[in-house]
Amino acid sequence: MSPRRIAAAFASAAALAACGHGADAPPPAAGPLMSEAETAAANGVTYHSWALNVASWNLMNLSMSKATFPAGGDRVNLLTRMGTIAGGYDIVVFQEVLQTGASVTAHLSNYLPAGFACNHVSAPSGRVGRQERYVVCAPPANATGTIAIAPLTDYSTTGVNYLAANGTMQPAANVWMRPPIIATVTYTPNDPTFAPVAFDIYTNHTKPAYGHSAQARPPGTVAGASNASSVHYELRAIEQNLAAGANKMLIGDLNADCASYPVGFRGQDFAAGWNWHINYGQRTNTAVGTACGYDRILLNDALNAYYRLHGVDYDHFGNATRLDGKRVSDHYLVWVQLGQTQIKAAPVITASASAPVTQANKRRKFKETDDVHSTGTQLLPSASSAQFYITAYSTARNYKSNFTYPLTDVRGAPTAVTTDADGDLNQTVSWSAPEAGAYVFVFDANGDGAFSLKDGDFANYGTQADILVTQSETGHNDLVTLGDNMVLRDVFDLSQAYNVYALAKNLPANLTADAYIVSDRLLDQGGYHSWAAARAARIDLAAYSIPIQLAEAGTIQTAQLTDADRKQSFTTNSDGETFFSAWPRPAQLMNASINYQAPPASVFDPAFAGEGDPPASPDDTGYDDDPCQNASSSKDDEFQQACNLGFLFSNYYGNSFNLVFDLDGDGKLGVNDPIDTRDIGDMTDYFSVAGHDVLGPNANGDPAVSEYKEYLERALSVQLSDNDDYDEATRAASSRYACGPELGKADFEALITPDAQTGFRMLDDDSYHNERSNPSGLYQYDVAFLNDWSSDNVTQCISGGALSYGGAMTSENSAHVTAVADTHDFQGAQVTSNNATQCWVAVEATAGTALAVGAGSGFFTLGTGFLAGAVVAAGANLTGALACGF
């Protein structure tokens, strides 16, 4: 299947994205309700009759200068990103808002959903260095009840003394570096069955480590306490000074993990009667390679009776920590959901190609020749003026968030509907001759033309499409993966991907089967270097698959995984097709920690908390930094272990995967089980014929042409015509991918055959954009200066007259770079590694520095006409005997 046959409506956006043009749409707001509602809709389990989502987010020095830089697009982008993430929750506690907090939050509140107010702002506090505020934002109501927040209790302004860690009574500034606050909340559910619930939210930003100076240690600190004891003693002080009240929560950046919270202190603070809902080693920081659960959620037993869910919002923040050169934050938002339940079937909207809609004939995949019929159950009861919309799917919307969205029906107008006393639709909603694309069903309860959870409006998913309509069913691959834009994709940006969709055809009709996402790394470690070998061995699929069911686990012990953790079921329709999200919310798992173990040492080297490298500033402000932020570059193995380095999901499972269907449900890879590898059978047959050395216009009419076109579409995210004609667009795409307008036999064997094994890759934001900034392709210049050119698992052709190269020209991971020019001037190192190759063809070349080749990793070749005497480089490792044969 090909993107040209899937969703033409996405073509322009996809083309711009592939070329790196156009602004990204703001990410949809985060929201724990998405996972809950999706699970409920899929499994028919109970759902919450009231739910309240409380979040905390350290905004990393949010000041007026950060909130207003510059007075244009950057400011809008930053605050829009912050607002859309935080706006998915009902009460949000912001930390690390600097002294001008009231002005800052006035700016930020403009980007939160309508009705949100940030009226609860603490006094600035901090013994040394910067002054910080806490800010609490909330609307007056959410979808299931009203929210009332009393004026803050700010420990720094009460004027009373508190019991310090050393047992003395002290003013708050002598007990904590940044004294805590209390926000007292009363939540009144709309459903009169449930009584109002009052609870206290405590928040505190503990100091990661004490500094050397006297003012950097509160006088209430225990005498002789180590620098690494700050988190322990500040938590003890909070616990000793809790206010009256039955239901309590402590949430925020407590720095309670890794080097800031040594093992010897763990279990001493908030132990009996308290429940910790973020695990040690569950990543809440964005430092490279580390997995530190700094941001924590603690509920006392009384409030824990209302606990439902918790999580870390990687979905819409992901690894995109920088925005136009400015960091959004160095922390992820953490959240907890409180609620009560009543037994009731989950609301759901289903569709089929024939009426009436039943469980037996429901489907999510349609063709343009089908009719779409849909109905809903357990929606808002007795709705008399509702409207049913079929809307275009958009990644900029989250239908489980607090935002309000205007609705437009793709049919021209919505359908007026009513519901009975059980909330079931009294009508079947139909759409004849649907257009290719992805769509969402929306129940607008009051018919006002806008989606709002507060009005009782409903959609099945937060950030998934309900149905996919395709133009036809031609194409070589029976199983493919799609991005959120419904285009074939083999590289996903982790910070932007909300789903990896599966689209399949030619399967048994009306079948229930299992899907696995298999790790290429685990396969390779198991000795299976090709799918042919794995299939011949009938491998146990679960043994090599990711725990797709544990997206919310945070920390995963692989020895405890069950087969059920590593598969999900799907059904095919009567045409043998299926469409579903095979990996929803991939950022959740990719940021999980794997096989976390507490560091063995009970007391760490004080250098871990910064003592070994005192900051230059006399006020020790450097001790507010994350001591693990540079752990990835440290040479100290014990320090790296203290910072949980190497425990991330990608360290264990890698970032290359394949989607596999187990059609007979036996858990083994059978001969007929589909894999999302790229079909190259027709090209293989073509090149096996004597004299078939080039695939181009000479092969028009051969199925190898359309197969190559589909391969190019997947590799480059482009759309080509649906036929066997090798046209100009195909020549241009081939030039980008294979560095030639036609595909030679040698190129086929070197470039396409190896890559056909991998289904898709998950890259962090920096890696994705680095790869997409220099993708496979043809780069033509007359005169150009290329600085710090990098190539990772791509094939590039650079051609020109006079080319100069500054900085490093780096190729890695099987990248292939050919540069052909009249003159090359190398001013930086040319480096290859991990089976990468660089080929330089020139009439004349000069080098101002030594050229380097990784051991056994690649080669440099200078072609015909190269003047060896023109090279000025010691140990250049250049040879004219090798040809550019890739």
Side-chain angles (χ1 to χ4, degrees):
M1 295 181 188
S2 154
R4 63 183 178 274
R5 294 179 285 272
I6 293 174
F10 290 96
S12 297
L16 288 174
C19 295
H21 301 302
D24 291 336
L33 284 175
M34 176 180 65
S35 175
E36 175 195 0
E38 290 172 1
T39 302
N43 301 320
V45 299
T46 61
Y47 75 99
H48 298 295
S49 57
W50 71 261
L52 180 70
N53 301 303
V54 181
S56 174
W57 194 7
N58 180 324
L59 292 180
M60 200 191 76
N61 301 330
L62 182 62
S63 62
M64 280 298 292
S65 60
K66 180 174 178 177
T68 58
F69 74 88
D74 286 346
R75 175 176 66 90
V76 172
N77 289 342
L78 174 70
L79 295 179
T80 297
R81 174 71 64 86
M82 289 179 171
T84 51
I85 292 170
Y89 303 88
D90 302 318
I91 299 174
V92 185
V93 179
F94 292 115
Q95 294 186 321
E96 217 167 287
V97 178
L98 299 194
Q99 187 166 353
T100 54
S103 300
V104 170
T105 53
H107 282 283
L108 180 57
S109 62
N110 293 330
Y111 295 86
L112 291 166
F116 261 75
C118 298
N119 299 329
H120 304 281
V121 182
S122 74
S125 64
R127 289 183 54 80
V128 295
R130 62 173 183 259
Q131 300 283 296
E132 297 180 13
R133 296 179 187 258
Y134 307 112
V135 179
V136 182
C137 302
N142 72 350
T144 59
T146 59
I147 302 167
I149 302 178
L152 298 181
T153 299
D154 188 338
Y155 279 47
S156 67
T157 62
T158 60
V160 302
N161 289 339
Y162 296 94
L163 179 60
N166 64 5
T168 63
M169 298 299 294
Q170 301 274 353
N174 290 348
V175 179
W176 298 277
M177 297 299 295
R178 292 174 284 263
I181 63 166
I182 308 173
T184 298
V185 178
T186 300
Y187 185 77
T188 304
N190 295 332
D191 188 337
T193 304
F194 302 99
V197 178
F199 60 97
D200 293 332
I201 300 175
Y202 291 75
T203 194
N204 186 232
H205 182 200
T206 67
K207 194 168 180 65
Y210 291 135
H212 292 284
S213 63
Q215 66 266 35
R217 285 174 177 253
T221 301
V222 174
S226 72
N227 283 19
S229 66
S230 58
V231 171
H232 164 59
Y233 287 121
E234 294 205 350
L235 289 178
R236 174 187 289 184
I238 297 173
E239 191 171 11
Q240 292 176 160
N241 293 281
L242 294 171
N247 302 314
K248 295 180 174 64
M249 170 192 304
L250 174 59
I251 190 171
D253 177 11
L254 305 180
N255 284 301
D257 199 0
C258 290
S260 298
Y261 198 43
V263 173
F265 295 130
R266 300 179 190 182
Q268 298 184 32
D269 307 311
F270 289 92
W274 285 86
N275 305 270
W276 293 58
H277 289 295
I278 296 287
N279 296 328
Y280 292 106
Q282 183 170 355
R283 190 181 191 213
T284 71
N285 66 313
T286 63
V288 175
T290 63
C292 297
Y294 291 135
D295 302 79
R296 310 302 283 265
I297 302 167
L298 286 65
L299 306 181
N300 71 351
D301 285 345
L303 189 57
N304 203 59
Y306 298 99
Y307 167 81
R308 293 295 175 264
L309 299 165
H310 77 275
V312 182
D313 190 346
Y314 308 115
D315 291 325
H316 311 110
F317 184 28
N319 292 314
T321 57
R322 293 189 176 275
L323 183 70
D324 296 333
K326 303 290 183 177
R327 186 177 292 238
V328 177
S329 179
D330 54 354
H331 288 256
Y332 298 110
L333 178 149
V334 298
W335 58 267
V336 61
Q337 183 182 94
L338 308 176
Q340 288 176 286
T341 65
Q342 62 183 14
I343 304 302
K344 182 179 177 182
V348 64
I349 298 173
T350 53
S352 74
S354 60
V357 181
T358 67
Q359 283 295 109
N361 68 8
K362 69 178 183 180
R363 62 167 63 193
R364 295 179 65 181
K365 166 63 176 61
F366 296 82
K367 297 184 289 291
E368 287 186 320
T369 54
D370 293 327
D371 289 336
V372 178
H373 303 281
S374 53
T375 189
T377 59
Q378 301 296 329
L379 305 172
L380 187 71
S382 304
S384 59
S385 58
Q387 299 281 345
F388 190 100
Y389 284 80
I390 302 177
T391 67
Y393 169 66
S394 169
T395 58
R397 292 188 172 191
N398 180 353
Y399 289 102
K400 302 302 176 184
S401 74
N402 288 316
F403 284 88
T404 298
Y405 300 117
L407 297 172
T408 301
D409 197 292
V410 295
R411 300 168 297 165
T415 300
V417 294
T418 59
T419 61
D420 62 20
D422 292 325
D424 297 347
L425 282 182
N426 293 318
Q427 300 92 344
T428 296
V429 178
S430 299
W431 183 18
S432 297
E435 296 180 1
Y439 301 96
V440 173
F441 299 131
V442 177
F443 174 73
D444 179 13
N446 62 3
D448 65 352
F451 178 87
S452 173
L453 290 174
K454 299 181 181 67
D455 295 336
D457 299 345
F458 176 77
N460 280 327
Y461 306 105
T463 54
Q464 280 192 39
D466 280 299
I467 63 170
L468 176 68
V469 180
T470 62
Q471 294 175 349
S472 67
E473 297 308 328
T474 57
H476 289 268
N477 293 275
D478 285 343
L479 172 60
V480 296
T481 52
L482 311 178
D484 289 297
N485 59 359
M486 302 303 152
V487 171
L488 293 182
R489 182 173 292 278
D490 61 7
V491 179
F492 290 81
D493 181 351
L494 186 59
S495 70
Q496 300 294 329
Y498 309 122
N499 299 277
V500 177
Y501 288 102
L503 178 63
K505 61 182 178 67
N506 293 331
L507 303 177
N510 302 316
L511 174 72
T512 298
D514 295 323
Y516 294 83
I517 295 178
V518 177
S519 159
D520 285 9
R521 173 172 292 180
L522 294 188
L523 274 182
D524 189 66
Q525 291 174 351
Y528 301 107
H529 307 303
S530 72
W531 278 109
R535 200 186 293 274
R538 287 182 51 80
I539 62 167
D540 181 345
L541 288 167
Y544 301 94
S545 296
I546 69 171
I548 190 67
Q549 298 292 350
L550 301 184
E552 301 294 351
T555 57
I556 296 168
Q557 295 295 329
T558 56
Q560 299 172 9
L561 294 177
T562 66
D563 287 358
D565 295 329
R566 295 176 281 202
K567 64 182 179 182
Q568 64 172 315
S569 64
F570 67 93
T571 57
T572 64
N573 60 29
S574 58
D575 295 325
E577 305 166 332
T578 192
F579 166 74
F580 64 98
S581 179
W583 192 351
R585 310 168 70 198
Q588 292 294 119
L589 272 180
M590 290 295 292
N591 281 285
S593 60
I594 301 292
N595 296 330
Y596 164 78
Q597 296 176 348
S602 60
V603 178
F604 294 144
D605 184 332
F608 297 168
E611 287 192 54
D613 184 20
S617 56
D619 60 5
D620 290 308
T621 54
Y623 287 94
D624 267 328
D625 294 335
D626 172 8
C628 291
Q629 64 183 349
N630 297 316
S632 61
S633 59
S634 172
K635 303 301 183 183
D636 189 324
D637 292 340
E638 188 177 356
F639 180 42
Q640 290 194 339
Q641 189 172 9
C643 294
N644 299 339
L645 197 75
F647 287 104
L648 288 179
F649 181 94
S650 58
N651 297 129
Y652 186 85
Y653 290 104
N655 63 7
S656 296
F657 308 95
N658 284 89
L659 177 61
V660 180
F661 284 177
D662 179 20
L663 297 184
D664 58 10
D666 66 352
K668 306 292 185 180
L669 180 60
V671 65
N672 295 317
D673 290 337
I675 307 172
D676 69 337
T677 53
R678 287 179 266 193
D679 185 359
I680 59 172
D682 288 324
M683 286 187 283
T684 301
D685 292 343
Y686 176 84
F687 283 114
S688 68
V689 176
H692 283 188
D693 297 322
V694 175
L695 179 66
N698 61 300
N700 280 346
D702 193 295
V705 174
S706 58
E707 186 175 79
Y708 182 43
K709 292 165 77 169
E710 187 167 311
Y711 189 97
L712 292 171
E713 288 175 325
R714 185 167 175 173
L716 302 175
S717 295
V718 298
Q719 293 185 324
L720 301 174
S721 58
D722 183 11
N723 52 47
D724 294 327
D725 293 333
Y726 204 107
D727 52 20
E728 286 302 315
T730 306
R731 290 172 59 86
S734 182
S735 294
R736 286 184 57 195
Y737 185 76
C739 293
E742 299 174 358
L743 179 65
K745 185 174 183 179
D747 294 327
F748 169 73
E749 293 172 346
L751 301 180
I752 292 181
T753 303
D755 287 343
Q757 294 291 309
T758 298
F760 61 93
R761 291 182 295 140
M762 283 285 175
L763 302 181
D764 62 40
D765 191 66
D766 290 339
S767 298
Y768 178 86
H769 286 289
N770 181 60
E771 178 169 314
R772 288 308 187 192
S773 64
N774 289 333
S776 294
L778 174 64
Y779 298 85
Q780 294 178 301
Y781 307 98
D782 182 16
V783 177
F785 179 77
L786 309 178
N787 190 48
D788 290 325
W789 188 278
S790 63
S791 309
D792 186 349
N793 196 32
V794 294
T795 299
Q796 300 167 337
C797 304
I798 308 170
S799 68
L803 300 181
S804 299
Y805 308 94
M809 295 288 290
T810 305
S811 300
E812 56 186 348
N813 299 324
S814 301
H816 303 290
V817 179
T818 302
V820 181
D822 294 333
T823 62
H824 292 301
D825 180 16
F826 300 104
Q827 298 302 320
Q830 323 308 115
V831 182
T832 66
S833 63
N834 296 335
N835 298 313
T837 57
Q838 294 180 346
C839 178
W840 307 97
V841 182
V843 173
E844 181 177 359
T846 60
T849 186
L851 307 181
V853 178
S857 299
F859 57 82
F860 291 96
T861 301
L862 293 226
T864 304
F866 172 66
L867 302 178
V871 175
V872 183
N877 197 14
L878 298 176
T879 167
L882 297 174
C884 295
F886 52 88

